[in-house]
Amino acid sequence: MAYGEVGTEALRAENINKMVRIFAEPKFVLKQVCMTSASGAWRESYYRESDLVMTAATKIARMAAFPQESPLWEKVSVDMQKAGLEVEISHEDVLTDNIPVITRAQKKLAQAIVKAVDATIWNALSENRSVVNIQTVATPVNFEWDSSTRANRNPQDQIGDAIQLLAEKNYNADTLILNPKDYINIVTNDNIVGSFNSSMNSALVNGRVANILGLKTLVSNVISADYAMVLEAKTAATYWSAEGMRTVVKYEEGIKHTVRGWEYGAVGVTDPKAICLITNTAI
């Protein structure tokens, strides 16, 4: 048994927890496009309304029956998933401290958990790229966003088509999600760079693009190669959090320190027609 001052274990655990949160919180990308809600249940169920757009009749004759349409609701359930990882640090590494091993381990742990959560959200939003309910737009062959023929690179066409599809289902597209490669292809795209006026000419200066067709741009390396996405954030999906990111540290004095982190949550696509997956973005 290891001895120490009263309260030492709790104090150490709180310090570790704080450090991992500082590393982790700015790194979430896709969680911010979801409506977030606390949950105390292992399973979350919700009703997903059909995308039927009802049309009212005009010129109904006196005493005539009204036309009828009925929306449908599908019950959907999602179970909580635990994303987690632990890191072991030898006593010798902590003692000699040639490099800040604890700090580096905390950072890597946080990044891994965040990436796992974002990947889960991406897989849910994109239906694992096996499209059933969400909408899609395909980039034509030879017109991929990294086409060797620069004149064939027209990402704004597919982005615009995706916005149109959402609008036809009464959704307001507000977010564009890209992987790092496609983001650079857009930043350096001749049409997009050439469209900037004097107040928006930052792309070739600092590598950031202002809103494209009014969409906020998010970039994450969990986005599958050859895909991008347009959606209405906070509407398309909900992330239920049963337990936010937590960490504990276990000490085996003279042997090792073990830092363990985890998060419990579940994501449900409540409005699939508020999502449009863009395919074939890369050669």
Side-chain angles (χ1 to χ4, degrees):
M1 178 177 179
Y3 293 89
E5 297 178 6
V6 176
T8 299
E9 293 294 330
L11 179 60
R12 288 175 177 174
E14 180 64 25
N15 285 339
I16 293 290
N17 191 52
K18 181 179 178 181
M19 287 295 291
V20 173
R21 285 180 178 274
I22 289 173
F23 285 132
E25 288 176 352
K27 300 296 184 179
F28 283 108
V29 175
L30 297 190
K31 190 185 287 189
Q32 63 186 286
V33 306
C34 300
M35 181 71 71
T36 56
S37 178
S39 174
W42 179 252
R43 172 171 293 178
E44 286 287 341
S45 296
Y46 58 95
Y47 286 92
R48 188 160 61 195
E49 186 173 315
S50 69
D51 63 338
L52 173 68
V53 177
M54 290 189 280
T55 303
T58 59
K59 299 182 179 179
I60 299 175
R62 290 190 297 172
M63 303 298 292
F66 277 61
Q68 294 183 351
E69 285 188 296
S70 298
L72 300 175
W73 291 271
E74 174 191 10
K75 185 178 180 180
V76 183
S77 298
V78 291
D79 294 336
M80 294 294 164
Q81 297 184 26
K82 177 167 60 177
L85 184 68
E86 67 178 25
V87 177
E88 293 186 344
I89 306 169
S90 73
H91 174 73
E92 289 78 8
D93 287 341
V94 175
L95 183 65
T96 56
D97 198 22
N98 292 327
I99 59 174
V101 291
I102 292 181
T103 300
R104 296 300 303 170
Q106 291 167 351
K107 183 174 182 178
K108 292 293 186 181
L109 183 147
Q111 289 174 338
I113 296 174
V114 167
K115 184 173 182 178
V117 172
D118 268 357
T120 298
I121 295 172
W122 164 247
N123 288 332
L125 293 174
S126 64
E127 296 185 315
N128 292 301
R129 278 72 64 201
S130 299
V131 174
V132 177
N133 299 299
I134 64 176
Q135 306 188 84
T136 61
V137 166
T139 305
V141 176
N142 297 324
F143 287 83
E144 294 85 358
W145 298 359
D146 60 347
S147 171
S148 57
T149 304
R150 293 189 67 90
N152 289 350
R153 302 179 186 181
N154 298 292
Q156 70 277 5
D157 290 350
Q158 288 77 56
I159 296 170
D161 289 343
I163 293 172
Q164 177 185 334
L165 287 178
L166 266 63
E168 289 173 351
K169 297 296 184 181
N170 294 326
Y171 293 105
N172 296 314
D174 56 23
T175 304
L176 170 65
I177 300 174
L178 303 167
N179 58 50
K181 179 181 178 181
D182 284 340
Y183 177 72
I184 293 301
N185 288 333
I186 283 181
V187 168
T188 59
N189 181 271
D190 294 342
N191 294 318
I192 293 175
V193 171
S195 71
F196 289 163
N197 59 34
S198 60
S199 64
M200 298 172 59
N201 62 355
S202 61
L204 297 182
V205 177
N206 56 30
R208 292 193 295 272
V209 173
N211 291 354
I212 299 174
L213 298 180
L215 304 179
K216 176 182 178 181
T217 302
L218 298 177
V219 182
S220 173
N221 59 11
V222 306
I223 308 305
S224 306
D226 211 26
Y227 293 94
M229 180 176 286
V230 173
L231 52 74
E232 181 179 337
K234 308 297 184 182
T235 298
T238 296
Y239 182 83
W240 289 278
S241 177
E243 187 175 31
M245 187 179 291
R246 288 193 57 196
T247 60
V248 295
V249 59
K250 298 192 303 179
Y251 296 92
E252 295 182 52
E253 299 295 350
I255 300 177
K256 64 183 178 182
H257 294 187
T258 301
V259 182
R260 179 182 299 147
W262 69 90
E263 175 167 330
Y264 268 108
V267 58
V269 178
T270 54
D271 290 69
K273 297 306 180 183
I275 301 170
C276 185
L277 186 68
I278 301 175
T279 64
N280 194 40
T281 62
I283 296 175

